[in-house]
Amino acid sequence: MFVSEISLWGAAIVACVVLVAAIALAFFDRQMLLRMLVIFGATVAQMAVVVAVVWLVYQTNAWWAYLLWFLLVLALSICWCLFPLQSIWKKMLRPVSVAMLVGSIVVGGSAMLMLPASVFLSIYSVLMACMTASLMQTMMRYQRNQQKPEALREDMLHQIRNLAQPLVMVVPMLYAGMLLGGVAALEGLLVTLLLVAASFVANILAGVITLGMIRNYPNRP
């Protein structure tokens, strides 16, 4: 098993380094340490939920399990988009939710149509992570320039130009995974390009929907 190949010495060293860093942070800023522990606890709890759902999906291999994973990734993406904008999350909740839903349907539907169910979880999650990062950039730029309505068009064009940034790092990993999984080189390249196209459409739709809905009621609390 893979777990038996993990070096216990390496794991012990990592644990010691984490402990030393926590002690150092406690001497430097105890309140910061407490906040870090809360964040770490929340991350562990989130990972526990994700792992439980992934295990359930692979064990059952049923349509409702894949729907559960789809909804979980969608919910996590919405939360990550809203987290940097806590002060105005009520105004952002509806635009972000609609944008992420439309984008996830495009990405998830494309992945389900093109790929076997066994790889749907990882591919869909990676592309949703790219779309989440892109949408966060769009909202942050809009928030900074919301006092300049004339800059909205230029912001959108700039964001479209930057859509490829997350994909540039992700696509080689997807393609390498396909090759390691035994997919033919040309077939893997075709699937990768189709996934990039689907992700591009999803990003554009998500950005346009978010900016359009926010602009319709900019002063709503």
Side-chain angles (χ1 to χ4, degrees):
M1 294 178 62
F2 174 76
V3 175
S4 63
E5 298 178 0
I6 296 178
S7 171
L8 295 180
W9 285 107
I13 290 174
V14 172
C16 291
V17 170
V18 171
L19 181 61
V20 170
I23 294 174
L25 185 57
F27 281 105
F28 179 74
D29 189 340
R30 185 167 298 180
Q31 291 184 350
M32 177 63 72
L33 175 60
L34 293 177
R35 288 196 292 267
M36 291 295 293
L37 291 177
V38 171
I39 294 174
F40 179 76
T43 302
V44 172
Q46 176 178 304
M47 287 300 300
V49 173
V50 171
V51 169
V53 175
V54 171
W55 180 86
L56 179 64
V57 171
Y58 276 113
Q59 289 295 318
T60 59
N61 194 25
W63 67 267
W64 60 266
Y66 285 95
L67 177 61
L68 178 63
W69 177 252
F70 177 88
L71 295 176
L72 176 63
V73 174
L74 177 61
L76 292 176
S77 300
I78 293 173
C79 291
W80 274 113
C81 285
L82 294 176
F83 183 77
L85 306 170
Q86 298 177 57
S87 60
I88 54 174
W89 73 271
K90 290 183 179 179
K91 187 179 77 170
M92 292 291 191
L93 180 59
R94 184 182 299 175
V96 170
S97 300
V98 174
M100 294 304 297
L101 176 61
V102 174
S104 63
I105 290 175
V106 174
V107 171
S110 301
M112 292 180 65
L113 290 174
M114 290 188 295
L115 301 171
S118 59
V119 299
F120 167 72
L121 272 68
S122 57
I123 297 297
Y124 168 67
S125 303
V126 169
L127 294 182
M128 282 295 291
C130 292
M131 189 172 69
T132 302
S134 175
L135 188 57
M136 286 177 64
Q137 293 178 18
T138 299
M139 292 189 301
M140 296 299 289
R141 286 183 60 84
Y142 179 82
Q143 186 182 17
R144 288 194 298 267
N145 296 322
Q146 60 181 340
Q147 303 301 327
K148 305 174 183 178
E150 69 279 0
L152 179 60
R153 177 182 173 84
E154 181 59 30
D155 277 352
M156 192 63 204
L157 293 176
H158 178 80
Q159 184 59 35
I160 292 175
R161 289 193 294 267
N162 291 337
L163 285 178
Q165 290 181 359
L167 292 175
V168 167
M169 296 181 292
V170 170
V171 168
M173 292 187 290
L174 292 177
Y175 186 60
M178 291 181 186
L179 295 181
L180 292 174
V183 178
L186 292 179
E187 183 181 353
L189 178 60
L190 175 61
V191 171
T192 302
L193 292 176
L194 291 174
L195 289 174
V196 171
S199 181
F200 180 79
V201 173
N203 276 274
I204 296 297
L205 286 176
V208 170
I209 291 173
T210 303
L211 293 177
M213 293 186 69
I214 293 174
R215 187 170 53 177
N216 286 336
Y217 51 100
N219 297 320
R220 181 176 296 183

